[in-house]
Amino acid sequence: DAMGTGRPSMPRFLWLRSEDVVFDSLRGLEEGRLMVVPGAIYKLAVVLASIPGLPRLIKTFEYALRRFL
């Protein structure tokens, strides 16, 4: 894939079909949108990332989990 990560290293729910990405992108183009975020999980990620302080809190929590697991 383009990122070089490969399918085995990423959870299946994070993958989107290329047809769906293209469809959403073309629809956004027709609607005059400058940015299109395809897929519900990625839309949720954008919303969560826009909450002040939340991305840092998540990283801190992830780091703590890795230390104790």
Side-chain angles (χ1 to χ4, degrees), residues 4-66:
T5 59
R7 287 187 186 264
S9 65
M10 289 182 66
R12 185 180 186 116
F13 72 91
L14 292 177
W15 286 92
L16 300 173
R17 293 179 340 129
S18 57
E19 295 87 356
D20 295 335
V21 173
V22 170
F23 178 81
D24 288 350
S25 299
L26 292 175
R27 187 176 57 200
L29 179 65
E30 287 176 355
E31 295 172 357
R33 290 188 280 156
L34 294 176
M35 185 172 74
V36 176
V37 180
I41 193 75
Y42 292 104
K43 286 180 173 100
L44 176 62
V46 168
V47 169
L48 293 176
S50 69
I51 298 172
L54 188 61
R56 185 178 184 92
L57 179 64
I58 291 171
K59 278 193 167 259
T60 302
F61 183 70
E62 179 187 18
Y63 176 74
L65 276 178
R66 287 185 183 177

